[in-house]
Amino acid sequence: MTVSVQTAAEALTELVGAANCTVAAQDKRPYLTDYRGIFHGEAMVVVTPVSTQQVGDVVSWCYRHDVPVVPQGGNTSLMGGAVPDDTGTAVVISLRKLNRVLSVDVVNDTMTVQAGVTLAAAREAAENAQRLFPLRIGSEGSCQIGGNVSTNAGGTAVLRYGNMRDLVLGIEVVLPDGRIYSSLKGLRKDNTGYDLKQLFIGAEGTLGIVTAVVLKLAPQPRATAAAFIAVKNPHAAVALLQAAKIGSGNAVSAFELVSAPALELVLDYLGDAKSPLQHAHEWMVLMELTSGGTDEALHAALLDILELGFAEGLIEDAAIAASLADIQAFWRIREDISDAQTRAGGSIKCDVSVPISRIADFIDAASAEVLALDPEIRLVIYGHLGDGNVHFNPLRPRDQQAAEFLARHYRVVSETVDGLAHREHGSISAEHGIGVVKRDDLRKYKSEVELQLMWQVKRALDPKNLLNPGRVLPEPDDPCAIH
Ligand code: MLT
Ligand code: ZN
């Protein structure tokens, strides 16, 4: 069945109202391109429903008329997962108007929020209730909870609090045929069969559209201490991490690796920031400790860890944050590396994870292989060493254009880095998801049985393949093998 733009616009306007239904090209534009301007698509109509029921009505209409649906949150995906393809046949459903914090239960330590609440607003709502919502990622001002859930977002606090998957207790989802599955329970124990909510977390909108969730809150830490530390190499960083976890009584809340090219790039981008360290070093770590104790005790623990690190030859230098402003300045440097890369252009983003015990060897091996291609490639390596996830992002040599660099090296670099991670029993997408970018690579890195299971789940829930089609799942080699 082919539906015309006019038919779709009229029917959807009827369901959500003219103010929530966009057909004009210039108004649709922000929804058809990702925030980095890399992925572009087309859509018949963009709708911005104001209730779960409206989302259900729109999806139900699309199901009955065989119209593909692309759900969209803050559109900050790095993998092209939230932008429609270029056929112009889809309806984009933006969740941005489902932006209410529905309730905060301070006794249960939970918060119920709609999908379109930004991560920053969710964190603020928790803070207003003297609680912490611990998910922390650089795009918090734009990314939305529904997108965080759908991509199982990670970020800088995973080593302490887990991924989004660990922070969701209840969920409300619009299914591909428009039915609403609502289980907004704030339970930490519920063994009543399959944990259905987990199916939708990390599914990138291919199995249903998340409209609301119950989030787990944590007590706010009372004390925070941070240091920007020059380490000898990634092996030393891993040894320091172990010492810090033990020495602080498990108070490490972030442990972020930064390579020299990553620091140079971000300082150049920021313009007004300078390195916390006096001299240049090859490798650095931003370590943060938080606890429910006193600032004095936490600072003493930090000093002990640094002293041990110096004594064991792991650390070359360290800057300790003397104030909240210092801590914020450290984080600004770390969190803006991603934007610095976007501006520089010509980055090959590899978001890999391996067991922490293997990460230093992995970095050595991947660095050697990439530099063998061209020693002028800048190894922008940074990220969440504390949970085994690094962003290993080779950047074009200074005198090479982005297009030339990517044409020459994109495929071989991604295959090399992902292949090495896979050999270390790692993941080729630790936290950014699959979208369209890594979809076909799954064929190589998932077993046949895994891919068959993924398709069986997809077909059971979305038999017409209408929800975010072409994302996450590679076309099966043998469609008959999937029943
Ligand atoms: C980060 O850790 O900064 C984010 O995952 C974003 C990125 O790597 O580009
Ligand atoms: Zn990251």
Side-chain angles (χ1 to χ4, degrees):
M1 188 189 314
T2 315
V3 169
S4 71
V5 175
Q6 198 186 342
T7 307
E10 280 170 11
L12 298 177
T13 302
E14 184 88 356
L15 294 174
V16 297
N20 300 313
C21 192
T22 304
V23 195
Q26 80 197 46
D27 299 332
K28 284 191 295 188
R29 199 165 298 140
Y31 302 93
L32 304 181
T33 302
D34 69 308
Y35 87 108
R36 289 188 301 160
I38 291 180
F39 305 97
H40 308 281
E42 272 304 328
M44 288 201 282
V45 183
V46 175
V47 290
T48 51
V50 297
S51 67
T52 299
Q53 190 55 55
Q54 283 193 355
V55 177
D57 292 345
V58 170
V59 173
S60 167
W61 184 89
C62 291
Y63 184 77
R64 281 182 277 118
H65 295 85
D66 295 339
V67 172
V69 172
V70 177
Q72 191 176 95
N75 204 3
T76 58
S77 168
L78 298 167
M79 312 306 280
V83 171
D85 65 19
D86 56 11
T87 58
T89 54
V91 165
V92 171
I93 301 185
S94 163
L95 281 304
R96 72 180 178 83
K97 289 187 182 167
L98 293 185
N99 59 0
R100 282 185 305 132
V101 174
L102 298 174
S103 62
V104 181
D105 182 342
V106 289
V107 178
N108 197 40
D109 276 329
T110 52
M111 175 168 81
T112 306
V113 303
Q114 290 186 307
V117 171
T118 63
L119 175 56
R123 283 175 60 93
E124 195 184 324
E127 206 173 309
N128 290 342
Q130 280 81 53
R131 296 291 182 275
L132 173 72
F133 178 59
L135 186 79
R136 181 170 181 173
I137 55 182
S139 54
E140 66 168 35
S142 323
C143 67
Q144 296 170 11
I145 291 296
N148 298 151
V149 173
S150 298
T151 56
N152 184 27
T156 54
V158 169
L159 80 166
R160 180 77 155 270
Y161 298 101
N163 295 291
M164 198 59 171
R165 197 178 285 291
D166 305 297
L167 300 172
V168 176
L169 293 177
I171 204 162
E172 180 188 79
V173 180
V174 171
L175 299 172
D177 60 6
R179 281 177 299 156
I180 296 167
Y181 158 54
S182 186
S183 181
L184 289 172
K185 291 177 180 174
L187 301 178
R188 287 169 179 80
K189 285 190 160 182
D190 180 12
N191 276 354
T192 52
Y194 302 147
D195 189 353
L196 293 176
K197 67 176 177 298
Q198 293 296 346
L199 266 183
F200 303 97
I201 303 173
E204 300 185 35
T206 60
L207 300 178
I209 303 181
V210 176
T211 48
V213 277
V214 181
L215 299 173
K216 210 192 271 182
L217 302 178
Q220 283 183 329
R222 293 217 178 118
T224 305
F228 206 86
I229 306 163
V231 287
K232 205 167 132 204
N233 52 37
H235 295 269
V238 171
L240 182 67
L241 170 66
Q242 298 317 305
K245 280 197 225 171
I246 294 162
S248 67
N250 207 22
V252 182
S253 52
F255 198 87
E256 296 284 313
L257 185 71
V258 179
S259 71
L263 182 67
E264 196 185 326
L265 186 74
V266 71
L267 292 180
D268 180 47
Y269 168 73
L270 291 172
D272 61 349
K274 63 182 184 57
S275 169
L277 299 163
Q278 231 173 350
H279 302 289
H281 298 268
E282 285 302 304
W283 294 101
M284 286 137 288
V285 161
L286 167 52
M287 180 169 76
E288 185 187 79
L289 309 180
T290 55
S291 80
T294 63
D295 276 325
E296 291 71 24
L298 200 62
H299 275 94
L302 177 63
L303 286 177
D304 286 348
I305 293 162
L306 295 178
E307 211 169 284
L308 185 105
F310 276 114
E312 297 203 347
L314 306 173
I315 297 180
E316 294 176 344
D317 194 9
I320 299 174
S323 62
L324 185 61
D326 283 350
I327 296 177
Q328 285 165 346
F330 292 177
W331 275 111
R332 182 167 173 244
I333 289 172
R334 163 58 193 90
E335 287 181 338
D336 280 10
I337 298 173
S338 183
D339 284 348
Q341 286 181 109
T342 304
R343 192 193 62 173
S347 273
I348 303 173
K349 277 181 168 291
C350 304
D351 168 37
V352 291
S353 66
V354 298
I356 299 169
S357 45
R358 302 298 305 147
I359 202 157
D361 284 338
F362 162 80
I363 292 172
D364 288 348
S367 301
E369 294 220 21
V370 170
L371 291 179
L373 296 170
D374 181 343
E376 297 304 314
I377 291 175
R378 289 172 281 175
L379 293 180
V380 174
I381 302 169
Y382 62 97
H384 324 298
L385 193 89
D387 64 38
N389 170 204
V390 282
H391 302 303
F392 191 102
N393 297 349
L395 173 67
R396 65 181 167 80
R398 273 188 190 78
D399 56 1
Q400 200 168 88
Q401 294 297 311
E404 187 194 338
F405 172 69
L406 296 175
R408 203 183 280 183
H409 294 302
Y410 183 86
R411 183 132 294 280
V412 63
V413 166
S414 334
E415 281 176 7
T416 302
V417 176
D418 290 353
L420 280 168
H422 184 66
R423 245 169 281 157
E424 296 286 2
H425 304 289
S427 169
I428 62 154
S429 185
E431 61 170 6
H432 292 169
I434 297 298
V436 282
V437 177
K438 291 284 179 191
R439 181 194 59 199
D440 294 334
D441 296 338
L442 286 192
R443 256 197 217 116
K444 203 158 141 195
Y445 299 112
K446 293 260 185 207
S447 71
E448 220 177 297
V449 174
E450 279 174 310
L451 289 173
Q452 284 173 1
L453 283 173
M454 282 170 70
W455 268 112
Q456 283 170 336
V457 171
K458 170 73 171 169
R459 290 203 177 146
L461 270 76
D462 184 14
K464 294 186 174 186
N465 192 18
L466 291 176
L467 265 199
N468 220 5
R471 307 298 183 270
V472 182
L473 296 118
E475 279 306 316
D477 290 331
D478 175 10
C480 301
I482 297 155
H483 310 288

mmCIF file of all heavy atoms in Angstrom, residues 78 334-335 338 341 349 382 384 391 393 431-432, ligand 1:
data_model
loop_
_atom_site.group_PDB
_atom_site.id
_atom_site.type_symbol
_atom_site.label_atom_id
_atom_site.label_comp_id
_atom_site.label_asym_id
_atom_site.label_seq_id
_atom_site.Cartn_x
_atom_site.Cartn_y
_atom_site.Cartn_z
ATOM 1 N N LEU A 78 25.373 9.115 17.232
ATOM 2 C CA LEU A 78 26.589 9.168 16.408
ATOM 3 C C LEU A 78 26.534 8.108 15.319
ATOM 4 O O LEU A 78 27.454 8.004 14.510
ATOM 5 C CB LEU A 78 27.822 8.925 17.291
ATOM 6 C CG LEU A 78 28.060 9.954 18.398
ATOM 7 C CD1 LEU A 78 29.092 9.441 19.398
ATOM 8 C CD2 LEU A 78 28.514 11.278 17.810
ATOM 9 N N ARG A 334 37.570 17.122 29.144
ATOM 10 C CA ARG A 334 37.238 15.746 28.754
ATOM 11 C C ARG A 334 36.000 15.692 27.857
ATOM 12 O O ARG A 334 35.999 15.037 26.818
ATOM 13 C CB ARG A 334 37.038 14.893 30.031
ATOM 14 C CG ARG A 334 36.323 13.583 29.823
ATOM 15 C CD ARG A 334 37.021 12.665 28.816
ATOM 16 N NE ARG A 334 36.147 11.560 28.430
ATOM 17 C CZ ARG A 334 35.295 11.580 27.410
ATOM 18 N NH1 ARG A 334 35.217 12.626 26.598
ATOM 19 N NH2 ARG A 334 34.550 10.530 27.149
ATOM 20 N N GLU A 335 34.940 16.387 28.287
ATOM 21 C CA GLU A 335 33.668 16.213 27.578
ATOM 22 C C GLU A 335 33.628 16.896 26.222
ATOM 23 O O GLU A 335 32.832 16.538 25.366
ATOM 24 C CB GLU A 335 32.507 16.690 28.467
ATOM 25 C CG GLU A 335 32.241 15.699 29.598
ATOM 26 C CD GLU A 335 31.093 16.083 30.505
ATOM 27 O OE1 GLU A 335 30.751 17.284 30.548
ATOM 28 O OE2 GLU A 335 30.559 15.191 31.182
ATOM 29 N N SER A 338 34.793 15.301 22.017
ATOM 30 C CA SER A 338 33.926 14.837 20.934
ATOM 31 C C SER A 338 33.582 15.982 19.971
ATOM 32 O O SER A 338 33.689 15.831 18.746
ATOM 33 C CB SER A 338 32.650 14.255 21.549
ATOM 34 O OG SER A 338 31.828 13.742 20.564
ATOM 35 N N GLN A 341 36.464 16.993 17.820
ATOM 36 C CA GLN A 341 36.649 16.104 16.656
ATOM 37 C C GLN A 341 35.688 16.448 15.542
ATOM 38 O O GLN A 341 36.047 16.423 14.375
ATOM 39 C CB GLN A 341 36.345 14.666 17.052
ATOM 40 C CG GLN A 341 37.378 14.013 17.882
ATOM 41 C CD GLN A 341 36.925 12.592 18.164
ATOM 42 O OE1 GLN A 341 37.479 11.654 17.655
ATOM 43 N NE2 GLN A 341 35.893 12.466 18.964
ATOM 44 N N LYS A 349 35.714 7.079 14.034
ATOM 45 C CA LYS A 349 35.283 6.808 15.406
ATOM 46 C C LYS A 349 35.141 5.314 15.638
ATOM 47 O O LYS A 349 34.365 4.650 14.946
ATOM 48 C CB LYS A 349 33.945 7.508 15.679
ATOM 49 C CG LYS A 349 34.091 8.975 16.056
ATOM 50 C CD LYS A 349 32.723 9.573 16.318
ATOM 51 C CE LYS A 349 32.782 10.929 16.973
ATOM 52 N NZ LYS A 349 33.249 10.951 18.346
ATOM 53 N N TYR A 382 40.497 8.332 23.863
ATOM 54 C CA TYR A 382 39.990 8.863 25.128
ATOM 55 C C TYR A 382 38.816 8.003 25.574
ATOM 56 O O TYR A 382 38.345 7.151 24.831
ATOM 57 C CB TYR A 382 39.555 10.332 24.983
ATOM 58 C CG TYR A 382 38.431 10.542 24.005
ATOM 59 C CD1 TYR A 382 37.112 10.637 24.439
ATOM 60 C CD2 TYR A 382 38.680 10.627 22.642
ATOM 61 C CE1 TYR A 382 36.076 10.821 23.537
ATOM 62 C CE2 TYR A 382 37.650 10.807 21.740
ATOM 63 C CZ TYR A 382 36.352 10.906 22.184
ATOM 64 O OH TYR A 382 35.342 11.070 21.289
ATOM 65 N N HIS A 384 36.384 5.860 28.560
ATOM 66 C CA HIS A 384 35.981 5.331 29.847
ATOM 67 C C HIS A 384 36.815 4.103 30.242
ATOM 68 O O HIS A 384 36.290 2.992 30.338
ATOM 69 C CB HIS A 384 34.490 5.026 29.776
ATOM 70 C CG HIS A 384 33.735 6.039 28.938
ATOM 71 N ND1 HIS A 384 33.690 7.376 29.277
ATOM 72 C CD2 HIS A 384 33.066 5.938 27.761
ATOM 73 C CE1 HIS A 384 32.981 8.037 28.360
ATOM 74 N NE2 HIS A 384 32.607 7.192 27.423
ATOM 75 N N HIS A 391 37.292 5.275 23.280
ATOM 76 C CA HIS A 391 37.007 5.822 21.952
ATOM 77 C C HIS A 391 38.359 5.924 21.263
ATOM 78 O O HIS A 391 39.165 6.800 21.580
ATOM 79 C CB HIS A 391 36.304 7.167 22.088
ATOM 80 C CG HIS A 391 35.026 7.048 22.864
ATOM 81 N ND1 HIS A 391 34.014 6.189 22.489
ATOM 82 C CD2 HIS A 391 34.606 7.624 24.012
ATOM 83 C CE1 HIS A 391 33.031 6.248 23.359
ATOM 84 N NE2 HIS A 391 33.362 7.117 24.302
ATOM 85 N N ASN A 393 39.941 6.853 18.208
ATOM 86 C CA ASN A 393 39.477 7.628 17.061
ATOM 87 C C ASN A 393 40.615 8.259 16.260
ATOM 88 O O ASN A 393 40.914 9.449 16.437
ATOM 89 C CB ASN A 393 38.552 8.760 17.546
ATOM 90 C CG ASN A 393 37.294 8.230 18.216
ATOM 91 O OD1 ASN A 393 36.993 7.054 18.152
ATOM 92 N ND2 ASN A 393 36.556 9.108 18.856
ATOM 93 N N GLU A 431 29.031 1.664 23.504
ATOM 94 C CA GLU A 431 27.958 2.509 24.067
ATOM 95 C C GLU A 431 27.251 3.360 23.028
ATOM 96 O O GLU A 431 26.249 3.987 23.336
ATOM 97 C CB GLU A 431 28.518 3.407 25.178
ATOM 98 C CG GLU A 431 29.605 4.361 24.691
ATOM 99 C CD GLU A 431 30.002 5.421 25.702
ATOM 100 O OE1 GLU A 431 29.536 5.374 26.833
ATOM 101 O OE2 GLU A 431 30.783 6.312 25.323
ATOM 102 N N HIS A 432 27.758 3.432 21.800
ATOM 103 C CA HIS A 432 27.136 4.317 20.809
ATOM 104 C C HIS A 432 26.027 3.633 20.018
ATOM 105 O O HIS A 432 25.273 4.300 19.327
ATOM 106 C CB HIS A 432 28.191 4.872 19.840
ATOM 107 C CG HIS A 432 29.147 5.823 20.502
ATOM 108 N ND1 HIS A 432 30.284 6.269 19.903
ATOM 109 C CD2 HIS A 432 29.122 6.405 21.728
ATOM 110 C CE1 HIS A 432 30.930 7.081 20.726
ATOM 111 N NE2 HIS A 432 30.243 7.179 21.841
HETATM 112 C C1 MLT B 1 32.190 10.627 24.800
HETATM 113 O O1 MLT B 1 32.611 9.792 25.589
HETATM 114 O O2 MLT B 1 32.647 11.786 24.742
HETATM 115 C C2 MLT B 1 31.035 10.261 23.944
HETATM 116 O O3 MLT B 1 30.851 8.888 23.870
HETATM 117 C C3 MLT B 1 30.969 10.930 22.620
HETATM 118 C C4 MLT B 1 32.030 10.589 21.627
HETATM 119 O O4 MLT B 1 32.819 9.689 21.831
HETATM 120 O O5 MLT B 1 32.039 11.212 20.577
#
